[in-house]
Structures are given as structure tokens and as C-alpha cells.
Amino acid sequence: MRLSVISPTLNEAKNVPLLVEQIGRALRGIDHEILIVDDNSADLTWSVAKELSATNPRVRILRRMENPGLGAAVIDGFDAATGDAVACIDADLQHDPSILSHMLEELQNGADVVVGSRHVDGGSTGNWNISRRFQSWIATKTAQLLLGVRLKDPMSGYFLVRRKDFSEIKPDLDGKGFKILLEIVAHLHTTKIKEVPYTFRPRAHGESKLSGKVILQYFHQIWRLCSSSRHFTVRFIKSAIVGGIGLFINLGVMAIFLKSTSILDWRASAIASLAANLQNYVLYNVWTYVAGFHTGFRKLDGYLSYLLMSASGMVVSTIAYSVFAGAFLHVPLMQQSPQAFYGRLFCQFVAVLLGIRFNYALNRVFNWPDLALLHLEAPPKVPILR
Ligand code: GDD
Ligand code: MN
């Protein structure tokens, strides 16, 4: 399998000779080429690479004059590559070239994407300070949660794919992001991803191009990938809004009970939850899942099924409320004090969160596709409202 190693560069003149040397050593005996994709660097990186290519036939240069940017450079590099496999590696030697042959083996053993990873056993971020670690953790968690990527190091800029896979998804790739790996993983729809550990090294020469703008671009990229993937649709946001309104109504009804009636126990909690539940159903029905709108009798039927499905969560929250209120507010003095009102309301708040969490866990266990969708006719495959 012929390997093309693509290295995007912007002002890396001092690093390129070291990089070429280290890649050559790491890939001894393996058919490969090294493609330096330079955005017409002011420090003449492209010219340094050109000199190297005069004595080293494995080195090629792509000097880009327009559409600058890391993501776009990598896409162009992969496109110009001649290998069966294409790898992307930073030029500043922060990515350890010595794992390249191992990465290639993993691809040959059946992986579709192989990632150089700092967050699997044996890998590390080197001597990063706590703030840099925290930033990276936030960025990583965001990608994992919102995109559902099963990568320990989705932020990696060091990875390997088959060129034919890349060519297939190329029309869908957006080169604006710094994180081209995320872009590729989001479009490739494969579970055959392998992470190979390495230790992130300090930059050899020069400085990082990671700026505030790049970070903004990153979150924009996540947002774009999210809204086009199945994991996160407009419907999801709408469901979250409906749930939020439900919580508000729940606490509102509870407050009315506590203020103007003498019912302060589990019954108040249960009625508040029932009211919120009815509201949820109505809003789900008319707003969130318009295509499955229930009419006439079906409405009652649909409501009863929805009620049944949420019943366990409501039972949990009602019991939890009784327990909390009993435990914290049993002091007679408290019962008369103005704090008792807020105390009870807070107990209800926590109890409701517990109930929601319980219902959610139950749904996952039974693998119900979606709490509300289950009982609506012809659920839309694609969200109708945008
Ligand atoms: N052609 C081109 N055009 N190359 C660029 C550009 C550009 O606009 N911007 C950066 N590069 C090149 C750099 O020259 C370097 O080789 C590589 O892309 C990474 O840029 P750095 O500035 O060193 O980024 P970093 O070290 O902060 O972050 C890198 O490592 C992280 C950890 O793997 C990036 O690869 C991140 O994507 C990655 O998360
Ligand atoms: Mn770097």
C-alpha cells in the first residue's frame, strides 16, 4: 500500500527539513511520498521544500496561491496525492512521525480511519499547563457530545484514511474548519476507527497559528456538522424547548398550590407534574412533530399512551418530592416560615429532574426511538419545520 503523507504548512521553513528527515526514517522500506502543502508562506517554506525535493524524489510541493487555510490545504493535498492511503501530519513536529508505520498497519488491518491520539493509553499531551488542558478538554467533550463521535481525541490533526474514501466524501467536505478530521469522520459514517497513541511534543520552531478566530470557526464547524447530522436536529432543539416550558409550568402549578391551598404533600407534586405532562403532549403534538398531528379521538388515544410512557418518571418524581420535603421540611418552625415555600419548590424542582432522568434511562433500556414520536402517525424522517 503506497502512503502519501500530507503536511500543511504556513511559515514552517525551519521545520520542514526536520520533518522530511524524520518521516523518511519512520517509513524506511515503505513506499511513500511526502507532500508539503504550503500557503505561499512569507518565510519561503515552499522554496525550502523545493530545494529538498531536488535531492529527495519522495518530496513534492503544492504551493497554494488562493483560498488559504489549514482545512482547504489538507483537502487539496489529499486530492493531489498519489498513494492508496493519505495521512495528515503537522509540520512543526508536534506529531510524532515514528508511529506512521503502525498507523498504516492498522489501516491495512481493516480500520477506515486511523488517528494519532493523545488520549488513549500510552499517549499524552506532554507538558501542557492546566489551562491548555482544560481548553482542549472542553473542545473534545463538545465534539463527543454534540456529534456523537466515538473518538478519544477528535481534535487530532494527525490521521490516516484511504484515498478512495476521501475522494467519495470530498464533495461534502467544508474546508473552512481547522479540524478537518472531524469533518471527515462526520461524513464517512464508519465505526472502524482506530486510535494509535503518541505524545504531543513541543513545537520545534516557529509559532502556532491557532487564534481566537480559529476557535470561533471550530464552534461554528461543530454547529454546522450537528445540524446536518442525525444526532442533532431542529426537532431536538424544539423538544428541549418544550421540556423547558414543561418544567416552568410544573413549578408554576406547584407554586399556586403551595400559596393558595392547604395541599402541600405528594398530591400537589403529582398534579403539577400531570399539568406539565399534558402541556408537553399538546406542544409536542402541534409544534414539534407536526407531521404526526393527532386529531379527534386519536388525540385522546395519543395522550393516554404518552401519559403511560411518562408515568414511571412521574411516580419517581412524586415519591422523591415526598421524601425530600419530608426530610428537609419536617421541622414545625420551617412549616410556617416563608422559606418553606421556596424549600418545597426546590424539592419539587430536584424531584422533577430526577423523574426526567429516570424516564430517559428507561427509554434507553427499552430502546424506544423517541418518547413522543412513538405514538404519532408517520413520523417524518426529515424534520419538516426548519
Ligand atoms: N497550508 C496551511 N495553511 N497550513 C496551515 C495553516 C494555513 O492557513 N494554518 C496552520 N497550518 C499548518 C501549520 O503550519 C502546521 O503545520 C499545522 O497546520 C498545525 O498548525 P499549528 O499552528 O501548529 O496548530 P496547533 O499546534 O495549535 O494545533 C494543531 O495540533 C492539534 C493537535 O493535534 C492542529 O493540527 C490542530 O488541528 C490539532 O488539534
Ligand atoms: Mn502545532
Side-chain angles (χ1 to χ4, degrees), residues 12 90-95 200-201 203 207-209:
E12 308 283 3
D90 288 357
D92 55 6
L93 298 167
Q94 294 194 280
H95 296 161
F200 198 71
R201 308 191 290 192
R203 215 172 210 286
E207 50 199 47
S208 170
K209 283 93 203 167

